[in-house]
């Protein structure tokens, strides 16, 4: 029997998010029209922004001190790399040269993220499960936060990074040699 959303514990909820986003990326691969691609890419970005908030504000802090420290810190940095791509994708559109490439790379980052969390025994979720975290209480907190986060992001709030300041990196937005008339922004 499949669990309803309200019945899920924290790990089931996070895994359901993973499956949902994987499915959206799969549809993006098959999509042919620019409008459809943009709609799917933006849907994936929204889901991922909410997912990272739930992990960073609720699930990861609960894991702190209970599971491998390195794994947790790397997850925050990986989230931030993904968020930089997410904000780029949201600010851009499918007419851009690198749009599809950005979505593809984002999907690969998420594939890696999913593996780090769902891997048997040494993955984050199984470490958290063995540590005896209260997954039902965490799920209630996550369900409540999900509603507010969805509203905030649907209103257009970009993702915020916690571990890096990607906007400080000068960019040329071209594959031509930098310095040859490339536009800095
Ligand atoms: Fe996750």
């Amino acid at each position: 029997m499949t669990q309803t959303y309200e019945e899920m514990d924290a790990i089931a909820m996070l895994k359901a998010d993973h499956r949902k986003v994987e499915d959206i990326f799969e549809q993006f691969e098959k999509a042919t029209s620019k409008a459809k691609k943009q709609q799917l890419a933006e849907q994936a970005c929204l889901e991922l922004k909410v997912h990272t908030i739930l992990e960073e504000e609720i699930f990861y802090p609960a894991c702190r001190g209970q599971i491998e420290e390195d794994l947790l810190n790397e997850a925050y940095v990986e989230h931030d790399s993904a968020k930089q791509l997410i904000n780029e994708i949201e600010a851009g559109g499918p007419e851009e040269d690198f749009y599809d490439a950005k979505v593809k790379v984002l999907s690969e980052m998420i594939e890696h993220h999913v593996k780090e969390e769902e891997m048997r025994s040494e993955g984050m979720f199984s470490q958290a499960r063995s540590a005896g975290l209260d997954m039902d209480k965490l799920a209630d907190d996550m369900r409540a936060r999900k509603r507010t986060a969805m509203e905030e992001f649907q209103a257009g709030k970009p993702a915020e990074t916690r571990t890096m300041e990607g906007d400080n990196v000068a960019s040329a937005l071209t594959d031509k040699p930098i310095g040859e008339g490339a536009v800095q922004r």
Side-chain angles (χ1 to χ4, degrees):
M1 207 177 76
T2 12
Q3 276 179 317
T4 68
Y5 176 69
E6 295 299 324
E7 291 167 345
M8 288 180 179
D9 77 357
I11 289 177
M13 273 181 76
L14 294 172
K15 281 186 174 176
D17 282 352
H18 291 166
R19 300 294 85 77
K20 184 166 188 180
V21 174
E22 283 166 355
D23 177 59
I24 300 169
F25 282 128
E26 231 179 274
Q27 291 182 55
F28 181 93
E29 291 271 318
K30 292 185 205 136
T32 46
S33 84
K34 285 191 163 43
K36 184 73 188 162
K37 280 187 176 187
Q38 182 158 21
Q39 183 237 314
L40 290 164
E42 286 176 1
Q43 198 190 341
C45 288
L46 174 66
E47 293 292 339
L48 286 170
K49 287 199 291 188
V50 174
H51 181 77
T52 52
I53 281 278
L54 299 186
E55 290 188 330
E56 291 173 13
E57 290 186 1
I58 297 164
F59 192 77
Y60 293 174
C63 290
R64 185 68 78 187
Q66 310 285 321
I67 69 163
E68 238 177 290
E69 188 84 357
D70 289 356
L71 194 61
L72 209 46
N73 289 341
E74 286 162 25
Y76 278 102
V77 175
E78 284 166 5
H79 273 191
D80 282 353
S81 294
K83 285 181 217 163
Q84 290 176 13
L85 267 179
I86 287 169
N87 287 346
E88 286 270 331
I89 291 164
E90 289 189 325
E95 67 290 342
E96 276 175 17
D97 289 349
F98 293 112
Y99 190 78
D100 285 17
K102 284 173 186 170
V103 176
K104 178 73 185 170
V105 172
L106 178 62
S107 78
E108 288 167 352
M109 282 178 170
I110 301 311
E111 202 181 308
H112 173 82
H113 163 89
V114 166
K115 206 167 126 205
E116 298 273 305
E117 292 193 334
E118 295 191 22
M119 225 176 356
R120 268 171 212 275
S121 74
E122 56 308 13
M124 194 187 286
F125 291 167
S126 58
Q127 287 192 33
R129 183 81 75 194
S130 313
L133 298 187
D134 185 344
M135 297 299 174
D136 291 321
K137 162 81 173 73
L138 288 173
D140 287 337
D141 294 349
M142 282 163 50
R143 269 185 287 267
R145 183 65 182 107
K146 188 164 189 164
R147 284 190 287 274
T148 56
M150 203 44 111
E151 277 172 26
E152 287 164 24
F153 290 127
Q154 273 169 339
K157 189 175 149 219
E160 283 167 8
T161 54
R162 291 171 189 266
T163 68
M164 54 177 82
E165 297 179 280
D167 289 341
N168 290 340
V169 181
S171 58
L173 290 178
T174 172
D175 55 5
K176 309 236 167 18
I178 289 183
E180 291 181 14
V183 184
Q184 300 286 314
R185 56 165 195 174

